[in-house]
Amino acid sequence: MVLLTMLAVVTVAIVRQRSLFGVVILAGIYSFLMASVLIVLDAVDVAMTEASVGAGISTVLLLAALHLVKSTELRSVRPKMLPLFVSVVTGGILVWGSLVLPPFGIADKAIHNHVAPRYLSESINETTVPNVVTAVLADYRGFDTLGETAVIFTAGIGVMLLLRGARRRGRSREEGSSS
């Protein structure tokens, strides 16, 4: 409950923040807190990914982008009631949908009786990989993992190209003003 409370506090702080530098730092803190929640839920592999990508790489890329743009968000002139309404309705739908989920940690539910026992019993024989998580990610879900990697790679290349273009525009302005 403490971690979830801290996540909520950081989320509110991000929404209220006007300094984009503060938003980037708070987003990094949020990623570390989310990684902590994932560790508590025994998803250490996902927690390591969240910590490295969410807090590490994303923070560095956002700080690099901030270096190229203004660091203060302009105040919105539009009313904020429509986004608030959409957020409240979406949150209500998610809470309503979660009411039919089985209690957390129940081992005899359908999700645990379908594929998981087969993965646990047959993964070493079928894949010759001693770690079940690695076998699932690299062998059984190999194409899915490849797709996720391609999406992350493409996003990274896109960010680098955007930053490179912004840097060139900044240089051409400096050269134009000095001549």
Side-chain angles (χ1 to χ4, degrees), residues 14-78:
I14 288 172
V15 171
R16 303 285 304 158
Q17 187 67 247
R18 289 289 167 224
S19 166
L20 295 179
F21 178 76
V23 169
V24 170
I25 297 304
L26 286 170
I29 292 170
Y30 184 91
S31 290
F32 274 126
L33 289 172
M34 194 63 218
S36 301
V37 168
L38 292 168
I39 288 173
V40 170
L41 295 174
D42 289 333
V44 180
D45 55 332
V46 180
M48 288 175 24
T49 303
E50 176 64 30
S52 62
V53 173
I57 295 171
S58 296
T59 303
V60 169
L61 288 175
L62 289 171
L63 287 174
L66 261 180
H67 177 70
L68 300 173
V69 298
K70 295 180 181 177
S71 63
T72 304
E73 181 181 4
L74 298 175
R75 296 239 179 236
S76 176
V77 294
R78 289 183 254 148

Side-chain angles (χ1 to χ4, degrees), residues 39-157:
I39 288 173
V40 170
L41 295 174
D42 289 333
V44 180
D45 55 332
V46 180
M48 288 175 24
T49 303
E50 176 64 30
S52 62
V53 173
I57 295 171
S58 296
T59 303
V60 169
L61 288 175
L62 289 171
L63 287 174
L66 261 180
H67 177 70
L68 300 173
V69 298
K70 295 180 181 177
S71 63
T72 304
E73 181 181 4
L74 298 175
R75 296 239 179 236
S76 176
V77 294
R78 289 183 254 148
K80 298 176 183 170
M81 293 310 292
L82 180 62
L84 178 64
F85 175 74
V86 170
S87 298
V88 169
V89 168
T90 304
I93 290 171
L94 290 172
V95 169
W96 176 68
S98 68
L99 294 176
V100 298
L101 293 174
F104 183 74
I106 302 297
D108 62 345
K109 294 299 174 188
I111 190 170
H112 302 296
N113 294 327
H114 182 57
V115 185
R118 183 176 176 281
Y119 284 166
L120 292 173
S121 65
E122 299 297 326
S123 66
I124 294 175
N125 296 333
E126 292 178 354
T127 65
T128 66
V129 177
N131 185 332
V132 176
V133 173
T134 304
V136 169
L137 291 177
D139 200 331
Y140 295 121
R141 293 184 56 219
F143 287 117
D144 183 43
T145 304
L146 177 66
E148 292 168 358
T149 305
V151 167
I152 291 172
F153 177 76
T154 305
I157 295 296

Side-chain angles (χ1 to χ4, degrees), residues 174-179:
E174 289 173 4
E175 291 170 359
S177 64
S178 64
S179 12

